[in-house]
Amino acid sequence: MKKVPLEIVIPVFNEGEKIISLVQNIKKELKVNFRIMFCYDDEKDDIFKIKNELLSLGIDIAFIKNPSKGPLSAIKEGVKQGNSNSIIVYPADDFLNFNILQSMYNKFIEGNDIVVASRFTKGGSMKNCPIIKSILVRTASYTLYFLSSIPVKDASNGFRLFSRKLLNKIKIESVVGFAYSLELLVKGHRLNFQISEIPAQWEE
């Protein structure tokens, strides 16, 4: 694959035709050359029903086979297969935040190795979240922010930009879910990588 400044890793699992709309919106917002890397579990995924339509959009798109199952393994394989200097891990069902992707990349250009899409900073939001989940997520994030030196208010959101420099330095030891994102944040801070956050939206 040719090298591009930015790669967007999107784990997919039978997301349907809405993926076409997501890609179109990402294309409208980004002003930098980029590649979208769809990471899938098996060849029966319905993304292959729309593969030709996706490729016809004039965007650099790669389809990356997950060597195992689940989002963590898919993300790790996407990172491994990529060659850009910056990577954004983006949720396949997020139709609220493609408009901040360029701002996240701009923060990377300014020298940040982690850019957090934050629901809890000024301008961010988290709507219609079940009350127990909301309490747990907010408590975890605010505890880390106020009782540690981690300089972001949303520690648990998996939607982030990471520099290749950081990813080459830190081995991901998490084995499930999106815990890797918190792991990279904590280890990156400990190793004095630059971290920034911008407001993001989230809705159940």
Side-chain angles (χ1 to χ4, degrees):
M1 293 185 291
K2 68 178 182 180
K3 188 167 184 176
V4 292
L6 171 66
E7 287 167 325
I8 303 172
V9 172
I10 305 179
V12 293
F13 186 78
N14 295 324
E15 307 296 337
E17 293 189 359
K18 65 183 181 181
I19 285 293
I20 297 171
S21 175
L22 179 63
V23 171
Q24 290 172 327
N25 282 305
I26 290 173
K27 181 181 180 181
K28 289 178 184 177
E29 296 296 333
L30 278 172
K31 311 304 179 186
V32 61
N33 289 335
F34 67 95
R35 174 181 300 116
I36 293 179
M37 307 178 77
F38 288 115
C39 303
Y40 63 94
D41 282 359
D42 63 66
E43 285 76 8
K44 294 180 181 179
D45 194 280
D46 65 12
I47 195 169
F48 291 103
K49 295 179 181 178
I50 56 172
K51 179 178 179 179
N52 290 338
E53 191 167 354
L54 287 169
L55 294 176
S56 72
L57 296 176
I59 300 171
D60 188 347
I61 294 177
F63 297 88
I64 307 298
K65 176 70 168 64
N66 183 356
S68 183
K69 298 288 183 182
L72 176 59
S73 178
I75 291 166
K76 289 172 70 173
E77 188 65 16
V79 170
K80 177 182 176 182
Q81 295 287 338
N83 60 18
S84 64
N85 292 329
S86 60
I87 293 173
I88 292 177
V89 179
Y90 194 88
D93 60 352
D94 188 339
F95 284 80
L96 297 175
N97 291 299
F98 43 77
N99 61 327
I100 68 171
L101 292 174
Q102 184 64 44
S103 296
M104 294 177 77
Y105 180 75
N106 292 344
K107 287 288 187 181
F108 164 72
I109 292 298
E110 292 170 7
N112 292 285
D113 295 288
I114 302 177
V115 183
V116 175
S118 176
R119 299 161 291 185
F120 306 134
T121 194
K122 184 178 180 180
S125 68
M126 188 168 73
K127 299 178 180 179
N128 302 326
C129 185
I131 186 65
I132 298 300
K133 180 178 179 179
S134 178
I135 290 171
L136 290 173
V137 170
R138 291 176 186 273
T139 299
S141 292
Y142 290 147
T143 298
L144 280 169
Y145 179 70
F146 289 111
L147 299 183
S148 76
S149 57
I150 294 174
V152 297
K153 294 181 179 179
D154 192 347
S156 60
N157 196 352
F159 169 27
R160 295 213 172 127
L161 178 146
F162 301 101
S163 72
R164 176 68 63 179
K165 180 173 66 173
L166 177 139
L167 293 169
N168 286 342
K169 178 74 173 181
I170 300 173
K171 178 182 178 181
I172 297 174
E173 298 178 80
S174 300
V175 295
V176 294
F178 292 91
Y180 80 93
S181 187
L182 177 57
E183 177 189 350
L184 290 176
L185 176 66
V186 172
K187 290 181 176 179
H189 177 61
R190 187 177 64 193
L191 293 171
N192 295 315
F193 283 95
Q194 294 300 305
I195 302 170
S196 181
E197 67 179 340
I198 63 173
Q201 316 306 314
W202 187 92
E203 187 168 356
E204 182 75 12

mmCIF file of all heavy atoms in Angstrom, residues 123-164:
data_model
loop_
_atom_site.group_PDB
_atom_site.id
_atom_site.type_symbol
_atom_site.label_atom_id
_atom_site.label_comp_id
_atom_site.label_asym_id
_atom_site.label_seq_id
_atom_site.Cartn_x
_atom_site.Cartn_y
_atom_site.Cartn_z
ATOM 1 N N GLY A 123 -18.365 21.549 25.049
ATOM 2 C CA GLY A 123 -18.782 21.342 23.667
ATOM 3 C C GLY A 123 -19.098 19.895 23.338
ATOM 4 O O GLY A 123 -19.697 19.605 22.313
ATOM 5 N N GLY A 124 -18.701 18.965 24.212
ATOM 6 C CA GLY A 124 -19.011 17.553 24.013
ATOM 7 C C GLY A 124 -20.322 17.182 24.675
ATOM 8 O O GLY A 124 -20.892 17.951 25.458
ATOM 9 N N SER A 125 -20.817 15.983 24.361
ATOM 10 C CA SER A 125 -22.087 15.552 24.965
ATOM 11 C C SER A 125 -22.198 14.038 24.960
ATOM 12 O O SER A 125 -21.581 13.349 24.136
ATOM 13 C CB SER A 125 -23.273 16.148 24.206
ATOM 14 O OG SER A 125 -23.364 15.595 22.895
ATOM 15 N N MET A 126 -23.010 13.515 25.889
ATOM 16 C CA MET A 126 -23.378 12.109 25.911
ATOM 17 C C MET A 126 -24.869 12.038 26.220
ATOM 18 O O MET A 126 -25.307 12.383 27.315
ATOM 19 C CB MET A 126 -22.580 11.338 26.968
ATOM 20 C CG MET A 126 -22.790 9.823 26.886
ATOM 21 S SD MET A 126 -21.612 8.857 27.874
ATOM 22 C CE MET A 126 -22.206 9.177 29.522
ATOM 23 N N LYS A 127 -25.663 11.613 25.220
ATOM 24 C CA LYS A 127 -27.111 11.685 25.322
ATOM 25 C C LYS A 127 -27.751 10.296 25.307
ATOM 26 O O LYS A 127 -27.261 9.381 24.649
ATOM 27 C CB LYS A 127 -27.683 12.513 24.167
ATOM 28 C CG LYS A 127 -27.190 13.952 24.126
ATOM 29 C CD LYS A 127 -27.757 14.690 22.920
ATOM 30 C CE LYS A 127 -27.265 16.124 22.863
ATOM 31 N NZ LYS A 127 -27.800 16.836 21.672
ATOM 32 N N ASN A 128 -28.860 10.181 26.019
ATOM 33 C CA ASN A 128 -29.697 8.969 26.029
ATOM 34 C C ASN A 128 -28.962 7.733 26.504
ATOM 35 O O ASN A 128 -29.304 6.610 26.137
ATOM 36 C CB ASN A 128 -30.290 8.715 24.637
ATOM 37 C CG ASN A 128 -31.117 9.885 24.137
ATOM 38 O OD1 ASN A 128 -31.765 10.574 24.916
ATOM 39 N ND2 ASN A 128 -31.084 10.114 22.835
ATOM 40 N N CYS A 129 -27.942 7.946 27.321
ATOM 41 C CA CYS A 129 -27.174 6.809 27.846
ATOM 42 C C CYS A 129 -27.909 6.206 29.037
ATOM 43 O O CYS A 129 -28.416 6.941 29.895
ATOM 44 C CB CYS A 129 -25.792 7.287 28.275
ATOM 45 S SG CYS A 129 -24.691 5.967 28.816
ATOM 46 N N PRO A 130 -28.036 4.876 29.129
ATOM 47 C CA PRO A 130 -28.619 4.256 30.322
ATOM 48 C C PRO A 130 -27.939 4.766 31.587
ATOM 49 O O PRO A 130 -26.714 4.933 31.616
ATOM 50 C CB PRO A 130 -28.353 2.764 30.109
ATOM 51 C CG PRO A 130 -28.246 2.613 28.630
ATOM 52 C CD PRO A 130 -27.601 3.883 28.133
ATOM 53 N N ILE A 131 -28.709 5.023 32.626
ATOM 54 C CA ILE A 131 -28.205 5.721 33.798
ATOM 55 C C ILE A 131 -27.022 5.015 34.452
ATOM 56 O O ILE A 131 -26.038 5.665 34.840
ATOM 57 C CB ILE A 131 -29.347 5.937 34.824
ATOM 58 C CG1 ILE A 131 -28.856 6.790 35.988
ATOM 59 C CG2 ILE A 131 -29.920 4.609 35.300
ATOM 60 C CD1 ILE A 131 -28.473 8.200 35.607
ATOM 61 N N ILE A 132 -27.079 3.690 34.553
ATOM 62 C CA ILE A 132 -25.971 2.966 35.198
ATOM 63 C C ILE A 132 -24.695 3.106 34.381
ATOM 64 O O ILE A 132 -23.609 3.368 34.918
ATOM 65 C CB ILE A 132 -26.324 1.478 35.389
ATOM 66 C CG1 ILE A 132 -27.532 1.324 36.312
ATOM 67 C CG2 ILE A 132 -25.126 0.721 35.952
ATOM 68 C CD1 ILE A 132 -27.324 1.902 37.702
ATOM 69 N N LYS A 133 -24.821 2.942 33.074
ATOM 70 C CA LYS A 133 -23.656 3.087 32.196
ATOM 71 C C LYS A 133 -23.092 4.491 32.297
ATOM 72 O O LYS A 133 -21.876 4.688 32.368
ATOM 73 C CB LYS A 133 -24.041 2.761 30.756
ATOM 74 C CG LYS A 133 -22.888 2.892 29.770
ATOM 75 C CD LYS A 133 -23.325 2.502 28.362
ATOM 76 C CE LYS A 133 -22.179 2.649 27.368
ATOM 77 N NZ LYS A 133 -22.567 2.264 25.995
ATOM 78 N N SER A 134 -23.975 5.495 32.298
ATOM 79 C CA SER A 134 -23.538 6.883 32.385
ATOM 80 C C SER A 134 -22.757 7.134 33.669
ATOM 81 O O SER A 134 -21.691 7.772 33.652
ATOM 82 C CB SER A 134 -24.752 7.817 32.317
ATOM 83 O OG SER A 134 -24.349 9.160 32.449
ATOM 84 N N ILE A 135 -23.277 6.629 34.785
ATOM 85 C CA ILE A 135 -22.601 6.828 36.066
ATOM 86 C C ILE A 135 -21.221 6.176 36.064
ATOM 87 O O ILE A 135 -20.222 6.779 36.498
ATOM 88 C CB ILE A 135 -23.457 6.252 37.211
ATOM 89 C CG1 ILE A 135 -24.711 7.111 37.406
ATOM 90 C CG2 ILE A 135 -22.650 6.194 38.512
ATOM 91 C CD1 ILE A 135 -25.724 6.503 38.355
ATOM 92 N N LEU A 136 -21.140 4.955 35.553
ATOM 93 C CA LEU A 136 -19.867 4.235 35.542
ATOM 94 C C LEU A 136 -18.835 4.932 34.658
ATOM 95 O O LEU A 136 -17.671 5.114 35.047
ATOM 96 C CB LEU A 136 -20.084 2.794 35.058
ATOM 97 C CG LEU A 136 -20.844 1.872 36.012
ATOM 98 C CD1 LEU A 136 -21.142 0.544 35.330
ATOM 99 C CD2 LEU A 136 -20.052 1.641 37.290
ATOM 100 N N VAL A 137 -19.266 5.329 33.449
ATOM 101 C CA VAL A 137 -18.338 5.966 32.504
ATOM 102 C C VAL A 137 -17.858 7.302 33.044
ATOM 103 O O VAL A 137 -16.659 7.624 33.011
ATOM 104 C CB VAL A 137 -19.015 6.130 31.128
ATOM 105 C CG1 VAL A 137 -18.155 7.012 30.217
ATOM 106 C CG2 VAL A 137 -19.240 4.775 30.476
ATOM 107 N N ARG A 138 -18.778 8.113 33.527
ATOM 108 C CA ARG A 138 -18.405 9.433 34.041
ATOM 109 C C ARG A 138 -17.530 9.324 35.292
ATOM 110 O O ARG A 138 -16.544 10.063 35.439
ATOM 111 C CB ARG A 138 -19.659 10.253 34.340
ATOM 112 C CG ARG A 138 -20.429 10.665 33.100
ATOM 113 C CD ARG A 138 -21.716 11.400 33.459
ATOM 114 N NE ARG A 138 -22.529 11.667 32.303
ATOM 115 C CZ ARG A 138 -22.417 12.737 31.512
ATOM 116 N NH1 ARG A 138 -21.493 13.651 31.794
ATOM 117 N NH2 ARG A 138 -23.203 12.901 30.470
ATOM 118 N N THR A 139 -17.880 8.396 36.183
ATOM 119 C CA THR A 139 -17.093 8.238 37.398
ATOM 120 C C THR A 139 -15.662 7.823 37.078
ATOM 121 O O THR A 139 -14.698 8.377 37.643
ATOM 122 C CB THR A 139 -17.735 7.178 38.319
ATOM 123 O OG1 THR A 139 -19.054 7.617 38.686
ATOM 124 C CG2 THR A 139 -16.906 6.984 39.575
ATOM 125 N N ALA A 140 -15.506 6.866 36.174
ATOM 126 C CA ALA A 140 -14.162 6.422 35.795
ATOM 127 C C ALA A 140 -13.351 7.561 35.188
ATOM 128 O O ALA A 140 -12.185 7.785 35.547
ATOM 129 C CB ALA A 140 -14.258 5.264 34.816
ATOM 130 N N SER A 141 -13.968 8.310 34.283
ATOM 131 C CA SER A 141 -13.250 9.383 33.601
ATOM 132 C C SER A 141 -12.905 10.523 34.552
ATOM 133 O O SER A 141 -11.772 11.032 34.557
ATOM 134 C CB SER A 141 -14.092 9.908 32.431
ATOM 135 O OG SER A 141 -14.200 8.929 31.412
ATOM 136 N N TYR A 142 -13.866 10.947 35.355
ATOM 137 C CA TYR A 142 -13.615 12.057 36.269
ATOM 138 C C TYR A 142 -12.622 11.666 37.363
ATOM 139 O O TYR A 142 -11.817 12.486 37.803
ATOM 140 C CB TYR A 142 -14.922 12.540 36.885
ATOM 141 C CG TYR A 142 -15.832 13.248 35.914
ATOM 142 C CD1 TYR A 142 -17.214 13.153 36.022
ATOM 143 C CD2 TYR A 142 -15.309 14.005 34.872
ATOM 144 C CE1 TYR A 142 -18.053 13.799 35.124
ATOM 145 C CE2 TYR A 142 -16.135 14.650 33.974
ATOM 146 C CZ TYR A 142 -17.514 14.550 34.094
ATOM 147 O OH TYR A 142 -18.328 15.189 33.201
ATOM 148 N N THR A 143 -12.667 10.411 37.815
ATOM 149 C CA THR A 143 -11.711 9.961 38.820
ATOM 150 C C THR A 143 -10.290 10.053 38.292
ATOM 151 O O THR A 143 -9.379 10.562 38.968
ATOM 152 C CB THR A 143 -12.014 8.513 39.248
ATOM 153 O OG1 THR A 143 -13.315 8.456 39.839
ATOM 154 C CG2 THR A 143 -10.990 8.022 40.260
ATOM 155 N N LEU A 144 -10.082 9.574 37.069
ATOM 156 C CA LEU A 144 -8.743 9.642 36.476
ATOM 157 C C LEU A 144 -8.306 11.087 36.266
ATOM 158 O O LEU A 144 -7.141 11.430 36.451
ATOM 159 C CB LEU A 144 -8.721 8.877 35.151
ATOM 160 C CG LEU A 144 -8.598 7.364 35.268
ATOM 161 C CD1 LEU A 144 -8.856 6.699 33.926
ATOM 162 C CD2 LEU A 144 -7.219 6.979 35.788
ATOM 163 N N TYR A 145 -9.239 11.929 35.869
ATOM 164 C CA TYR A 145 -8.893 13.334 35.590
ATOM 165 C C TYR A 145 -8.517 14.072 36.873
ATOM 166 O O TYR A 145 -7.515 14.790 36.915
ATOM 167 C CB TYR A 145 -10.066 14.031 34.902
ATOM 168 C CG TYR A 145 -9.789 15.493 34.600
ATOM 169 C CD1 TYR A 145 -8.872 15.861 33.613
ATOM 170 C CD2 TYR A 145 -10.445 16.498 35.306
ATOM 171 C CE1 TYR A 145 -8.620 17.190 33.331
ATOM 172 C CE2 TYR A 145 -10.195 17.837 35.030
ATOM 173 C CZ TYR A 145 -9.283 18.169 34.047
ATOM 174 O OH TYR A 145 -9.030 19.499 33.770
ATOM 175 N N PHE A 146 -9.304 13.906 37.939
ATOM 176 C CA PHE A 146 -9.088 14.682 39.155
ATOM 177 C C PHE A 146 -8.082 14.059 40.116
ATOM 178 O O PHE A 146 -7.445 14.766 40.897
ATOM 179 C CB PHE A 146 -10.421 14.894 39.880
ATOM 180 C CG PHE A 146 -11.344 15.849 39.180
ATOM 181 C CD1 PHE A 146 -12.514 15.404 38.597
ATOM 182 C CD2 PHE A 146 -11.037 17.200 39.076
ATOM 183 C CE1 PHE A 146 -13.364 16.283 37.934
ATOM 184 C CE2 PHE A 146 -11.872 18.091 38.429
ATOM 185 C CZ PHE A 146 -13.045 17.640 37.851
ATOM 186 N N LEU A 147 -7.911 12.740 40.080
ATOM 187 C CA LEU A 147 -7.031 12.088 41.042
ATOM 188 C C LEU A 147 -5.709 11.622 40.434
ATOM 189 O O LEU A 147 -4.863 11.085 41.141
ATOM 190 C CB LEU A 147 -7.747 10.896 41.683
ATOM 191 C CG LEU A 147 -9.018 11.229 42.465
ATOM 192 C CD1 LEU A 147 -9.582 9.974 43.103
ATOM 193 C CD2 LEU A 147 -8.761 12.298 43.524
ATOM 194 N N SER A 148 -5.565 11.791 39.138
ATOM 195 C CA SER A 148 -4.282 11.486 38.503
ATOM 196 C C SER A 148 -3.862 12.707 37.707
ATOM 197 O O SER A 148 -4.539 13.722 37.696
ATOM 198 C CB SER A 148 -4.405 10.266 37.582
ATOM 199 O OG SER A 148 -5.067 10.617 36.378
ATOM 200 N N SER A 149 -2.768 12.584 37.008
ATOM 201 C CA SER A 149 -2.288 13.721 36.218
ATOM 202 C C SER A 149 -2.639 13.588 34.746
ATOM 203 O O SER A 149 -2.152 14.357 33.916
ATOM 204 C CB SER A 149 -0.767 13.842 36.373
ATOM 205 O OG SER A 149 -0.135 12.626 35.983
ATOM 206 N N ILE A 150 -3.490 12.610 34.392
ATOM 207 C CA ILE A 150 -3.880 12.431 32.990
ATOM 208 C C ILE A 150 -4.696 13.642 32.548
ATOM 209 O O ILE A 150 -5.728 13.966 33.142
ATOM 210 C CB ILE A 150 -4.675 11.135 32.806
ATOM 211 C CG1 ILE A 150 -3.771 9.937 33.088
ATOM 212 C CG2 ILE A 150 -5.241 11.038 31.395
ATOM 213 C CD1 ILE A 150 -4.482 8.607 33.067
ATOM 214 N N PRO A 151 -4.275 14.348 31.496
ATOM 215 C CA PRO A 151 -4.833 15.664 31.178
ATOM 216 C C PRO A 151 -6.065 15.649 30.274
ATOM 217 O O PRO A 151 -6.258 16.561 29.472
ATOM 218 C CB PRO A 151 -3.658 16.353 30.471
ATOM 219 C CG PRO A 151 -2.991 15.232 29.736
ATOM 220 C CD PRO A 151 -3.121 14.021 30.638
ATOM 221 N N VAL A 152 -6.908 14.615 30.354
ATOM 222 C CA VAL A 152 -8.132 14.575 29.549
ATOM 223 C C VAL A 152 -9.303 14.169 30.427
ATOM 224 O O VAL A 152 -9.149 13.436 31.396
ATOM 225 C CB VAL A 152 -8.008 13.610 28.342
ATOM 226 C CG1 VAL A 152 -6.923 14.053 27.378
ATOM 227 C CG2 VAL A 152 -7.752 12.194 28.811
ATOM 228 N N LYS A 153 -10.497 14.616 30.058
ATOM 229 C CA LYS A 153 -11.688 14.374 30.864
ATOM 230 C C LYS A 153 -12.469 13.138 30.424
ATOM 231 O O LYS A 153 -13.429 12.766 31.076
ATOM 232 C CB LYS A 153 -12.591 15.605 30.820
ATOM 233 C CG LYS A 153 -11.977 16.827 31.487
ATOM 234 C CD LYS A 153 -12.914 18.017 31.449
ATOM 235 C CE LYS A 153 -12.295 19.215 32.150
ATOM 236 N NZ LYS A 153 -13.185 20.408 32.096
ATOM 237 N N ASP A 154 -12.092 12.542 29.298
ATOM 238 C CA ASP A 154 -12.803 11.358 28.804
ATOM 239 C C ASP A 154 -11.793 10.253 28.549
ATOM 240 O O ASP A 154 -11.266 10.108 27.448
ATOM 241 C CB ASP A 154 -13.578 11.703 27.531
ATOM 242 C CG ASP A 154 -14.553 10.605 27.135
ATOM 243 O OD1 ASP A 154 -14.452 9.492 27.681
ATOM 244 O OD2 ASP A 154 -15.423 10.862 26.292
ATOM 245 N N ALA A 155 -11.541 9.467 29.577
ATOM 246 C CA ALA A 155 -10.486 8.451 29.489
ATOM 247 C C ALA A 155 -10.935 7.172 28.809
ATOM 248 O O ALA A 155 -10.108 6.378 28.364
ATOM 249 C CB ALA A 155 -9.972 8.123 30.892
ATOM 250 N N SER A 156 -12.259 6.962 28.694
ATOM 251 C CA SER A 156 -12.735 5.645 28.273
ATOM 252 C C SER A 156 -13.221 5.577 26.828
ATOM 253 O O SER A 156 -13.525 4.494 26.342
ATOM 254 C CB SER A 156 -13.864 5.182 29.207
ATOM 255 O OG SER A 156 -14.948 6.091 29.170
ATOM 256 N N ASN A 157 -13.324 6.695 26.153
ATOM 257 C CA ASN A 157 -13.808 6.680 24.773
ATOM 258 C C ASN A 157 -12.778 6.002 23.861
ATOM 259 O O ASN A 157 -11.597 6.343 23.876
ATOM 260 C CB ASN A 157 -14.078 8.105 24.293
ATOM 261 C CG ASN A 157 -14.933 8.154 23.039
ATOM 262 O OD1 ASN A 157 -15.224 7.130 22.431
ATOM 263 N ND2 ASN A 157 -15.352 9.344 22.661
ATOM 264 N N GLY A 158 -13.215 5.027 23.061
ATOM 265 C CA GLY A 158 -12.297 4.316 22.172
ATOM 266 C C GLY A 158 -12.001 5.043 20.878
ATOM 267 O O GLY A 158 -11.149 4.612 20.096
ATOM 268 N N PHE A 159 -12.701 6.141 20.626
ATOM 269 C CA PHE A 159 -12.542 6.937 19.404
ATOM 270 C C PHE A 159 -11.386 7.913 19.607
ATOM 271 O O PHE A 159 -11.525 8.915 20.290
ATOM 272 C CB PHE A 159 -13.872 7.645 19.116
ATOM 273 C CG PHE A 159 -13.835 8.699 18.047
ATOM 274 C CD1 PHE A 159 -12.916 8.671 17.022
ATOM 275 C CD2 PHE A 159 -14.763 9.731 18.075
ATOM 276 C CE1 PHE A 159 -12.902 9.650 16.046
ATOM 277 C CE2 PHE A 159 -14.771 10.711 17.106
ATOM 278 C CZ PHE A 159 -13.835 10.674 16.093
ATOM 279 N N ARG A 160 -10.246 7.584 19.018
ATOM 280 C CA ARG A 160 -9.043 8.379 19.258
ATOM 281 C C ARG A 160 -8.124 8.396 18.042
ATOM 282 O O ARG A 160 -8.192 7.518 17.186
ATOM 283 C CB ARG A 160 -8.242 7.792 20.422
ATOM 284 C CG ARG A 160 -8.994 7.871 21.719
ATOM 285 C CD ARG A 160 -8.107 8.075 22.911
ATOM 286 N NE ARG A 160 -9.008 8.327 24.027
ATOM 287 C CZ ARG A 160 -8.990 7.673 25.158
ATOM 288 N NH1 ARG A 160 -8.097 6.745 25.359
ATOM 289 N NH2 ARG A 160 -9.845 7.963 26.114
ATOM 290 N N LEU A 161 -7.247 9.380 18.026
ATOM 291 C CA LEU A 161 -6.116 9.388 17.092
ATOM 292 C C LEU A 161 -4.861 9.027 17.867
ATOM 293 O O LEU A 161 -4.651 9.500 18.981
ATOM 294 C CB LEU A 161 -5.952 10.766 16.442
ATOM 295 C CG LEU A 161 -4.764 10.911 15.465
ATOM 296 C CD1 LEU A 161 -5.105 11.865 14.322
ATOM 297 C CD2 LEU A 161 -3.490 11.403 16.162
ATOM 298 N N PHE A 162 -4.031 8.186 17.236
ATOM 299 C CA PHE A 162 -2.731 7.826 17.807
ATOM 300 C C PHE A 162 -1.654 8.044 16.754
ATOM 301 O O PHE A 162 -1.872 7.773 15.563
ATOM 302 C CB PHE A 162 -2.702 6.353 18.232
ATOM 303 C CG PHE A 162 -3.740 5.987 19.252
ATOM 304 C CD1 PHE A 162 -4.907 5.347 18.877
ATOM 305 C CD2 PHE A 162 -3.555 6.284 20.595
ATOM 306 C CE1 PHE A 162 -5.876 4.999 19.798
ATOM 307 C CE2 PHE A 162 -4.517 5.943 21.536
ATOM 308 C CZ PHE A 162 -5.681 5.304 21.152
ATOM 309 N N SER A 163 -0.505 8.505 17.192
ATOM 310 C CA SER A 163 0.623 8.618 16.269
ATOM 311 C C SER A 163 1.276 7.257 16.093
ATOM 312 O O SER A 163 1.248 6.416 16.997
ATOM 313 C CB SER A 163 1.650 9.629 16.784
ATOM 314 O OG SER A 163 2.349 9.112 17.904
ATOM 315 N N ARG A 164 1.857 7.052 14.927
ATOM 316 C CA ARG A 164 2.589 5.813 14.688
ATOM 317 C C ARG A 164 3.781 5.715 15.648
ATOM 318 O O ARG A 164 4.141 4.619 16.108
ATOM 319 C CB ARG A 164 3.068 5.775 13.234
ATOM 320 C CG ARG A 164 3.934 4.583 12.864
ATOM 321 C CD ARG A 164 3.167 3.295 12.875
ATOM 322 N NE ARG A 164 2.106 3.280 11.874
ATOM 323 C CZ ARG A 164 1.303 2.250 11.659
ATOM 324 N NH1 ARG A 164 1.439 1.149 12.396
ATOM 325 N NH2 ARG A 164 0.350 2.306 10.738
#
